């Protein structure tokens, strides 16, 4: 089956996945976001404005760095797409700049966001400060304890951080709470969702805002053999894959072994869309478990479920131990301390290089989704 990463089908479908499973009260709000996004995305003025902020504010285009030392050791050509060098330290800013500009076009004065590790919350707070919008960020109580630095950054940027005490007190619950809050504030607030998840049009819209990663990378390296990225909700991977889906490149998404919705999930509905998600034997959403807070999500974006089902992309897992080794090896060999999330992609390359999965001589384009500053204290403390 040929898969294109263009517009989703009717109702926001990617094959049998996607859709808009939200309470009646949110249908008009989702429709308004869809209509505004369609109009903006067809408007050259919107693109000019977004491109301006990408270059003069976010530091785009990000470079493609040849990892020369690791390449020599592994017998491959490894190229790193450096989203860690984007403003606020990860690819999250790409999505948030787009959505904040959209919110402004829609006349909204507030952004509502969910966050896990805090990277999306920080990016949202950043864009809100830049555009003079208020920001309310929902964050699980447990994540607040684990990610104090990002909580402080958000408050410095003027955002209100709302602790979520329900359920497992992590990202899944923060997302529920943010959506509930949006119901009550739809006239004034835009829900700035952080990944390619949620009800239509979010999976499509967020992928389009992240497509800049893949489009730039295609210009920097037109014909890699393998394109690899880590997958939490799947936004950095979706943006990267979008640039190469029509080439012969093999697409590989790397999940945390403890959060592997693509490998061990079952079809189900979470946060407004149908996709694959981790469930217990009663169909209850199971908790994900990863050393990287940004990959601690029991679901995955619906377009990945479709890319996996069609065979166009392949999804693999790596363990926490492999991830910690990968962070250290990349730091020692290349002088780059990457985020634990991004290190999942690195770990797979370290394992697969020289095997039939990744033969010697391959050219590998790897999206390094973020920098590791936020994780250094966790690594310093040793294994949890
Ligand atoms: C949030 C985050 C991720 C996971 O999100 P995706 O939507 O899967 O891209 C990965 N890496 C970093 C650095 C992040 O901050």
């Amino acid at each position: 089956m040929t898969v294109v990463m263009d517009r989703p089908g009717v109702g926001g479908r990617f094959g049998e996945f996607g859709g808009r499973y939200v309470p009646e009260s949110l249908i008009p709000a989702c429709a308004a976001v869809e209509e505004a996004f369609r109009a903006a995305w067809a408007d050259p003025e919107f693109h000019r404005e977004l491109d301006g902020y990408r270059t003069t504010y976010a530091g785009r285009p990000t470079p493609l760095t040849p990892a020369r030392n690791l390449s020599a050791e592994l017998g491959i050509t490894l190229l790193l797409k450096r989203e860690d060098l984007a403003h606020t330290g990860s690819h999250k800013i790409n999505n948030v700049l787009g959505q904040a500009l959209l919110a402004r076009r829609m006349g909204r004065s507030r952004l509502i966001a969910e966050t896990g590790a805090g990277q999306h919350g920080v990016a949202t707070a950043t864009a809100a400060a830049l555009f003079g919008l208020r920001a309310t960020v929902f964050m699980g109580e447990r994540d607040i304890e684990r990610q104090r630095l990002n909580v402080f950054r958000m408050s410095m940027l003027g955002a209100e951080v709302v602790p979520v005490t329900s359920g497992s007190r992590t990202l899944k619950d923060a997302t529920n709470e943010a959506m509930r809050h949006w119901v009550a504030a739809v006239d004034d607030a835009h829900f700035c969702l952080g990944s390619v998840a949620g009800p239509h049009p979010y999976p499509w819209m967020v992928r389009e805002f992240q497509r800049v990663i893949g489009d730039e990378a295609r210009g920097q390296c037109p014909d890699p053999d393998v394109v690899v990225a880590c997958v939490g909700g799947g936004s950095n991977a979706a943006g990267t894959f979008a640039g190469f889906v029509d080439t012969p490149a093999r697409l590989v998404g790397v999940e945390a072994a403890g959060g592997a919705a693509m490998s061990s999930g079952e079809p189900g509905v979470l946060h407004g869309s149908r996709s694959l998600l981790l469930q217990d034997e009663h169909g209850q959403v199971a908790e994900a478990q990863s050393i990287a807070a940004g990959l601690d999500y029991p679901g995955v974006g619906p377009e990945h479920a479709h890319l996996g089902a069609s065979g166009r992309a392949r999804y693999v897992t790596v363990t926490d131990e492999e991830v910690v080794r990968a962070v250290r090896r990349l730091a020692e060999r290349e002088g780059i301390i990457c985020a634990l999330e991004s290190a999942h992609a690195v770990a797979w390359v370290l394992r697969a290089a020289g095997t039939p999965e990744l033969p010697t001589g391959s050219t590998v384009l790897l999206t390094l989704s973020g920098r590791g500053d936020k994780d250094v204290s966790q690594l310093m403390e040793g294994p949890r």
Side-chain angles (χ1 to χ4, degrees):
M1 189 193 325
T2 312
V3 177
V4 293
M5 292 178 77
D6 190 2
R7 292 185 188 191
V10 175
R13 294 278 165 183
F14 302 95
E16 58 169 300
F17 302 104
R20 183 180 282 164
Y21 297 88
V22 293
E24 204 61 42
S25 50
L26 275 184
I27 298 277
C30 290
V33 174
E34 181 186 350
E35 192 187 330
F37 175 66
R38 279 184 195 279
W41 214 227
D43 179 358
E45 184 50 39
F46 183 82
H47 284 273
R48 252 195 303 281
E49 203 174 11
L50 180 56
D51 284 347
Y53 285 106
R54 281 171 171 170
T55 51
T56 63
Y57 187 73
R60 305 208 71 89
T62 57
L64 190 70
T65 302
R68 293 203 168 84
N69 301 322
L70 273 181
S71 293
E73 289 176 15
L74 299 172
I76 59 173
T77 300
L78 177 60
L79 305 166
L80 305 175
K81 180 59 175 163
R82 300 291 305 279
E83 294 305 293
D84 60 312
L85 295 178
H87 182 46
T88 72
S90 82
H91 66 292
K92 297 286 192 328
I93 194 77
N94 304 329
N95 169 38
V96 159
L97 281 177
Q99 289 202 49
L101 282 172
L102 192 69
R104 206 168 65 168
R105 255 174 98 106
M106 295 174 77
R108 304 290 190 251
S109 66
R110 246 181 93 198
L111 298 178
I112 296 170
E114 82 297 342
T115 199
Q119 292 297 102
H120 176 58
V122 168
T124 302
T126 297
L130 178 66
F131 296 126
L133 304 166
R134 284 190 298 137
T136 308
V137 180
F138 290 84
M139 189 168 184
E141 217 173 33
R142 232 176 90 204
D143 289 332
I144 288 181
E145 285 158 20
R146 292 194 286 189
Q147 302 286 340
R148 294 202 163 275
L149 186 64
N150 274 342
V151 176
F152 185 68
R153 287 166 84 193
M154 286 184 259
S155 76
M156 278 191 75
L157 292 160
E160 179 195 8
V161 180
V162 180
V164 173
T165 56
S166 54
S168 55
R169 297 175 293 136
T170 58
L171 178 58
K172 165 175 70 69
D173 314 285
T175 308
N176 285 334
E177 212 51 54
M179 290 183 79
R180 207 167 295 151
H181 190 75
W182 189 33
V183 175
V186 278
D187 295 333
D188 173 41
H190 172 71
F191 179 32
C192 184
L193 184 62
S195 193
V196 286
H200 180 54
Y202 285 93
W204 168 45
M205 176 171 73
V206 175
R207 179 252 282 162
E208 287 300 283
F209 287 143
Q210 293 292 1
R211 171 187 284 279
V212 66
I213 305 172
D215 287 347
E216 282 177 12
R218 175 94 174 247
Q220 293 161 320
C221 173
D223 54 357
D225 299 305
V226 178
V227 173
V228 55
C230 69
V231 174
S235 67
N236 85 88
T240 305
F241 291 176
F244 295 94
V245 72
D246 64 340
T247 75
R250 286 167 49 210
L251 310 178
V252 179
V254 187
E255 292 186 295
M262 288 300 301
S263 314
S264 345
E266 298 283 338
V269 171
L270 180 67
H271 300 142
S273 65
R274 184 166 190 276
S275 188
L276 295 173
L277 54 130
L278 298 177
Q279 303 172 45
D280 67 15
E281 71 265 40
H282 308 294
Q284 294 289 333
V285 179
E287 229 177 287
Q289 196 63 254
S290 164
I291 189 173
L295 304 186
D296 248 348
Y297 186 66
V300 64
E303 193 166 27
H304 286 292
H306 178 53
L307 285 167
S310 69
R312 179 61 191 93
R314 216 174 121 235
Y315 296 84
V316 296
T317 65
V318 295
T319 65
D320 286 354
E321 289 74 36
E322 291 180 292
V323 166
V324 172
R325 279 204 301 273
V327 171
R328 292 191 184 280
R329 185 138 170 223
L330 185 69
E332 287 165 8
R333 299 295 194 276
E334 302 296 338
I336 298 170
I337 299 178
C338 73
L340 287 169
E341 290 83 1
S342 323
H344 284 67
V346 179
W348 178 77
V349 169
L350 295 180
R351 185 175 76 204
T355 74
E357 280 193 290
L358 187 52
T360 300
S362 304
T363 297
V364 181
L365 190 144
L366 183 156
T367 294
L368 210 62
S369 56
R371 70 179 80 129
D373 306 34
K374 68 184 175 56
D375 302 320
V376 167
S377 64
Q378 188 181 338
L379 289 169
M380 214 161 66
E381 284 160 19
R384 278 197 295 194

